[in-house]
Every structure is written in structure tokens, then in C-alpha cells.
């Protein structure tokens, strides 16, 4: 009896089926096929390539996003991307053509379509739109030859402290669940002041947001022109820069501060008409911030004393024509250095020969008399303590006069959602943001893919947490305790051992998924059929 030959092979499935599942649930493939109907290469659609990019971007492999086809060599690509899609098909040319098509159509416009599509399948109801910008460093030389058609890779204000590198920026808006609603790639030296107001207007127009949505941004947004432009067309919440004169005066005013619901803060509300728009300004004092600032304040006071003494020494070398001028100059110096007082102040007279002649003047010789300031300074302790008492203060502004100070503070503090989104994009575990492209147009398209990865991750995390709460179930976290609020990063880690086994017997291929356990099966059951199909 002759035994039939048997061959077998395994590939790593891991958590990639979860990413494919959320991509399918939002029906992104159908949408992209409509927007970009042509093939990218090897008879593979642009939607399939985009799905592959997202799987790579959320690969959790500590390898960069644009590493093809090596990333797919040990993945079951036919299971994840469709029958006939093999790792060797996913090469740089295929991905490059898809990035070109995305940029040609408009990366921001495609993302807007995806968000509107996602809203049909997931109850995304933005109550807060958190707007911010960040930038990413790139290596190499970039010569923008597209005559303004693409972003300009250039030097700008580096948030990663790498002043030696060129960069590009991203403007992003997230909702209260950290789900991104908007993305646009920008020049590396873009001004936040101009970008943020433009972003708010675009989001309002593109998503047809409810009137009661709050646009929340940091102090870079708050300028007189921006406040005028937004007017009463949309509600905003922003921190008021301490550089504005009205703000400076208010921060140093003696106010009666009342304790907030969050006892770490106290506040006092006033009305303002800055920029010609009626607003509520609330001065808050944070005890935590005050303690941090007090340490810096004490160090700063000592440094400023040295600088003040140097400034006074320079003034003491100046010759004045009369005593009144000298005293006036001394008083002006005190006004400009308000934390000091004169411990000693004398106006001394000196004389020298006319015509800049050297030596002691002769008897009866005409001389020119001049006046010098001789002074010593010390801190005006009353003013120092007064300024010290005002530490930890900041002002929040809104054009919704019905908000309470407690609501205003709570809403603004949620601005961290967009910052957490940027941290996700720069997370070294995912390596979503590492860019190894030479064409500005492709970098612009890749920026959209980066934020699309965040969209898929955020919706999957939100969905799992919602399902756990609805079913009153829980899964174990990193320390083996049950939780209803796991991070998707931890869930991905739990799926790391799952593989696909392929056996071929007499020309017939049989595929089976291995290493599913109780926890991973529970996750798949909660997430639904579109996820289960990749594993069952």
C-alpha cells in the first residue's frame, strides 16, 4: 500500500484578523473600490492594498510601516486579503501606485468619505471635536517641485527636538472617544494659529456637525482674528494665552476663587468681549500646577536677580545731564523691574574737562558736570509674594455663555484625547509614523493611512469595551485581573500565538487555525461574525 504524500506549513495569523474585521465592518473596501476603481497591480484592487497597509501599520511588530513585501512573507494573505493574493504580490510598486492614487484623489477627501461611511455602521456622535497639530521628522533631502500641489517638507518647530531634520505636519481632530474625524497633512513649518481655525471650519463643513458640538483647542488657536472668524458660528473652548494684555491683568488681579467640583481647582468667572465676541472667561487655579510652578519660580527669581544687577550696572555707567534725569531713569528702571526695590540710591556728580581732554582740570578751567546713579537693589518681598500667590492660574474661554465653570474645565481637560492619538501614531510598538518615502505626494497619502490606522484601532477598542459592558462580561488584563476596559494593544498581544496550519493531502488543501483559547474566543464572539470568519 502506497501512502499519499502529505505537506504542511504554518503562517502567523495573530491579531491581523481583528484588523481585517473592523476594515470589513466599516465596509471600507466597497467605498475605496468606488472612489479608486482601477487596479494597483497583479490584479489587486486599491482597497486590498489599503487594507494591507492598515494590517501592516497595526502590525505590532516593531517594524516600520513601509516594509514590503517582507512583512507579509509569513502571513496568511489569502485568508486576510482574499483568494489569490500572495505575499509576493505586495511589493513596493503596488503600494506606491495606491499611495499615488490616494493623493491624486485627495487624501483628506478620502478620509472624509471613510468617516461618513463609518458613521453609518458605528454610533459616532461627536459632542467634542478636539483639534491639534503635530509634526514628524524625516531623513534625507526633499526638493518640492510640485508647485504647491503637495506638502512642503521643510524645517519647522520640532516637537521631537530634532532641529537638524526636515519635517511635515499633521492636523487632526478626534472626538470624545479618541476616534479621529479629520486629518490633513501640512507643510513642516505650518502655523498652528492659521491651521487650527481652518481645521475647525473644514470639520464643521465636511461632517455637518450638530450645532451643540464644542471645538476644543489649545492656546495656539486663541487669537483675535480666529475668535472674530469663528464668532457665534460654532462653539469653542480654548485656553487664553497669558501674553494677551487683558489676560495678564486678569491673572494678577485679586479675585475671590471658589472651590470647583474637582477640589484640586478653584475658579472665578468673568465676562470678556475679546475679538468682539461675547465670551465667558474663567480663571482657574490648580493646586498641582501651583506646586510645580513654585519650584521653578524660586529658581527663576535667583536667576533674574543676577540679570537685574547686570542691567543696573549698565545703567550706573550712563552719564546724565542733570539730577532730575538720573532720578527719572532710576524710577523707570524700577517700573520695568517691578519685583525689586532700591536698598540704596544715590545720585553722584562728577565732572570732566571739555573737549575730552585728559587729566585733572586746571584752576579756573571750565568743566562739564554730569550725574551718575549709584544703587543697590533687593527683592520687594511684598510684590514677590503677591506674584507667588498667583501661580498655578490659567484662563479658559468659551463663547457658550451657558456653560458652568465645572463643565468648561471638564470639557477642556478632555483635550488629551487628541494628544493620546498623536502618541499612538508615534508609538514605537506600532511604528505607524516612520516614513521612508522620497515623494512628498506619497508622504501626504501615507499620513492619511497613519490616521486611518488610528481610526480602526479606536473603533475596535470602543466596540469591545461597549460589548463587554453590555454583556456584563470581562477579560483578563496584564496582571490577570478582570477588566471591561482593556486596551486594544493588550488584546492584540493576547492573539500573538494564533497561527494558520495548511495541510495538503493528495492535492487537497485543508486550512485550520491553531492556538485559539478561551479569552480569544470570547473576544471574537463579542466582536461579531465579521471578525470570527478570519479565525473560525
Amino acid at each position: 500500500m502506497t501512502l499519499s504524500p502529505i505537506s504542511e506549513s504554518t503562517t502567523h495569523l495573530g491579531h491581523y484578523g481583528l484588523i481585517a474585521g473592523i476594515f470589513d465592518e466599516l465596509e471600507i473596501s466597497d467605498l475605496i473600490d468606488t472612489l479608486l476603481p482601477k487596479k494597483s497591480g497583479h490584479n489587486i484592487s486599491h482597497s486590498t492594498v489599503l487594507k494591507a497597509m492598515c494590517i501592516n501599520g497595526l502590525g505590532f511588530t516593531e517594524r516600520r510601516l513601509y516594509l514590503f513585501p517582507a512583512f507579509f512573507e509569513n502571513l496568511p494573505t489569502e485568508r486576510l486579503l482574499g483568494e489569490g493574493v500572495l505575499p509576493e504580490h505586495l511589493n513596493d510598486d503596488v503600494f506606491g501606485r495606491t499611495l499615488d492614487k490616494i493623493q491624486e484623489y485627495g487624501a483628506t477627501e478620502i478620509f472624509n468619505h471613510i468617516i461618513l461611511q463609518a458613521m453609518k455602521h458605528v454610533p459616532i456622535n461627536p459632542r467634542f471635536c478636539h483639534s491639534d497639530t503635530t509634526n514628524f521628522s524625516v531623513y534625507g533631502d526633499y526638493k518640492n517641485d510640485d508647485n504647491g500641489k503637495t506638502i512642503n517638507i521643510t524645517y519647522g518647530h520640532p516637537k521631537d527636538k530634532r532641529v537638524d531634520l526636515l519635517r511635515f505636519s499633521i492636523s487632526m481632530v478626534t472626538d470624545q472617544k479618541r476616534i479621529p474625524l479629520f486629518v490633513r497633512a501640512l507643510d513642516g513649518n505650518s502655523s498652528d494659529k492659521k491651521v487650527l481655525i481652518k481645521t475647525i471650519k473644514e470639520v464643521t463643513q465636511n461632517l455637518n456637525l450638530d450645532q451643540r458640538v464644542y471645538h476644543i483647542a489649545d492656546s495656539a488657536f486663541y487669537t483675535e482674528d480666529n475668535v472674530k472668524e469663528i464668532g457665534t458660528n460654532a462653539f469653542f473652548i480654548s485656553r487664553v494665552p497669558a501674553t494677551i494684555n487683558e489676560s495678564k491683568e486678569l491673572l494678577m488681579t485679586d479675585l475671590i476663587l471658589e472651590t470647583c467640583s474637582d477640589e484640586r481647582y478653584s475658579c472665578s468667572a468673568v465676562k470678556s468681549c475679546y475679538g468682539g465676541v461675547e465670551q465667558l472667561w474663567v480663571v482657574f487655579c490648580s493646586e498641582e500646577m501651583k506646586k510645580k510652578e513654585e519650584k521653578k519660580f524660586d529658581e527663576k527669581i535667583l536667576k533674574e536677580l543676577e540679570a537685574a544687577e547686570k542691567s543696573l550696572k549698565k545703567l550706573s555707567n550712563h552719564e546724565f545731564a542733570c539730577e532730575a534725569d538720573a532720578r527719572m531713569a532710576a524710577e523707570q528702571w524700577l517700573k520695568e523691574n517691578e519685583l525689586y526695590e532700591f536698598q540704596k540710591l544715590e545720585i553722584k556728580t562728577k565732572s570732566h574737562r571739555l573737549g575730552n581732554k585728559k587729566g585733572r582740570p586746571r584752576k579756573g578751567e571750565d568743566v562739564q558736570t554730569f550725574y551718575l546713579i549709584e544703587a543697590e537693589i533687593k527683592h520687594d518681598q511684598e510684590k514677590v509674594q503677591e506674584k507667588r500667590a498667583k501661580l498655578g492660574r490659567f484662563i479658559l474661554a468659551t463663547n457658550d455663555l451657558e456653560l458652568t465653570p465645572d463643565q468648561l474645565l471638564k470639557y477642556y481637560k478632555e483635550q488629551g484625547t487628541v494628544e493620546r492619538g498623536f502618541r499612538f501614531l508615534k508609538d514605537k510598538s506600532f511604528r505607524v509614523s516612520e516614513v521612508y518615502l522620497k515623494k512628498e505626494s506619497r508622504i501626504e497619502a501615507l499620513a492619511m493611512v497613519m490616521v486611518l490606522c488610528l481610526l480602526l484601532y479606536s473603533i475596535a477598542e470602543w466596540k469591545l469595551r461597549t460589548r463587554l459592558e453590555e454583556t456584563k462580561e470581562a477579560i483578563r488584563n496584564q496582571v490577570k485581573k478582570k477588566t471591561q476596559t482593556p486596551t486594544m494593544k493588550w488584546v492584540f498581544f493576547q492573539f500573538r500565538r494564533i497561527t494558520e496550519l495548511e495541510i495538503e493531502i493528495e492535492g487537497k488543501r485543508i486550512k485550520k487555525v491553531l492556538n485559539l483559547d478561551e479569552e480569544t474566543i470570547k473576544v471574537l464572539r463579542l466582536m461579531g461574525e465579521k471578525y470570527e470568519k478570519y479565525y473560525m
Side-chain angles (χ1 to χ4, degrees), residues 175-340:
D175 72 356
Q176 64 275 11
K177 302 185 191 84
R178 199 180 71 176
I179 295 173
L181 305 174
F182 175 88
V183 59
R184 185 177 291 283
L186 303 162
D187 297 344
N189 59 354
S190 297
S191 165
D192 284 1
K193 291 178 173 63
K194 295 177 181 178
V195 166
L196 289 172
I197 185 66
K198 187 177 179 182
T199 297
I200 289 171
K201 290 169 71 177
E202 283 192 271
V203 170
T204 305
Q205 180 181 347
N206 295 339
L207 300 183
N208 192 25
L209 295 173
D210 185 89
Q211 185 73 19
R212 210 67 193 174
V213 169
Y214 292 94
H215 296 274
I216 302 174
D218 62 20
S219 59
F221 156 80
Y222 199 88
T223 67
E224 189 171 1
D225 289 341
N226 287 352
V227 170
K228 281 180 181 176
E229 191 164 350
I230 201 168
T232 56
N233 298 319
F235 288 124
F236 71 82
I237 294 172
S238 177
R239 185 164 176 165
V240 180
T243 52
I244 295 174
N245 287 334
E246 188 180 337
S247 171
K248 280 183 189 175
E249 292 173 8
L250 185 57
L251 287 170
M252 294 307 297
T253 302
D254 286 325
L255 299 169
I256 299 173
L257 301 176
E258 297 181 0
T259 305
C260 300
S261 297
D262 183 342
E263 294 182 355
R264 296 172 300 171
Y265 296 86
S266 53
C267 69
S268 179
V270 299
K271 292 288 178 68
S272 173
C273 210
Y274 186 78
V277 177
E278 193 174 0
Q279 299 163 61
L280 176 70
W281 277 22
V282 181
V283 180
F284 289 96
C285 181
S286 163
E287 290 303 318
E288 290 180 14
M289 187 189 298
K290 186 172 184 177
K291 287 176 185 176
K292 290 178 183 177
E293 289 184 355
E294 280 176 342
K295 282 186 180 180
K296 294 179 182 177
F297 181 75
D298 293 338
E299 294 171 3
K300 187 179 177 184
I301 282 291
L302 293 175
K303 286 183 180 179
E304 286 183 348
L305 178 59
E306 293 177 16
E309 287 174 339
K310 287 181 182 177
S311 169
L312 186 62
K313 187 176 181 180
K314 187 177 179 181
L315 181 66
S316 67
N317 291 327
H318 187 80
E319 298 177 356
F320 294 93
C322 65
E323 182 179 350
D325 286 350
R327 290 195 179 278
M328 192 181 297
E331 289 171 8
Q332 181 62 33
W333 187 93
L334 270 187
K335 283 182 183 178
E336 294 171 359
N337 298 269
E338 56 183 18
L339 295 184
Y340 305 96

Side-chain angles (χ1 to χ4, degrees), residues 114-155:
I114 291 173
I115 279 294
L116 293 172
Q117 175 87 349
M119 285 180 167
K120 297 175 184 176
H121 300 279
V122 180
I124 300 173
N125 300 309
R127 291 184 57 237
F128 306 100
C129 290
H130 300 273
S131 304
D132 206 351
T133 65
T134 193
N135 52 48
F136 299 85
S137 301
V138 293
Y139 294 83
D141 295 323
Y142 288 83
K143 298 175 182 177
N144 192 291
D145 299 322
D146 290 336
N147 298 319
K149 293 179 182 177
T150 60
I151 58 173
N152 186 19
I153 309 294
T154 185
Y155 294 104

Side-chain angles (χ1 to χ4, degrees), residues 144-180:
N144 192 291
D145 299 322
D146 290 336
N147 298 319
K149 293 179 182 177
T150 60
I151 58 173
N152 186 19
I153 309 294
T154 185
Y155 294 104
H157 177 66
K159 297 189 178 182
D160 59 0
K161 311 300 182 187
R162 290 297 304 268
V163 295
D164 56 316
L165 296 178
L166 299 171
R167 62 194 61 255
F168 68 96
S169 301
I170 285 182
S171 175
M172 186 170 75
V173 178
T174 65
D175 72 356
Q176 64 275 11
K177 302 185 191 84
R178 199 180 71 176
I179 295 173

Side-chain angles (χ1 to χ4, degrees), residues 62-64 103 150 236 411:
E62 299 196 359
R63 288 196 282 180
R64 59 186 170 88
Q103 199 279 334
T150 60
F236 71 82
Y411 297 166

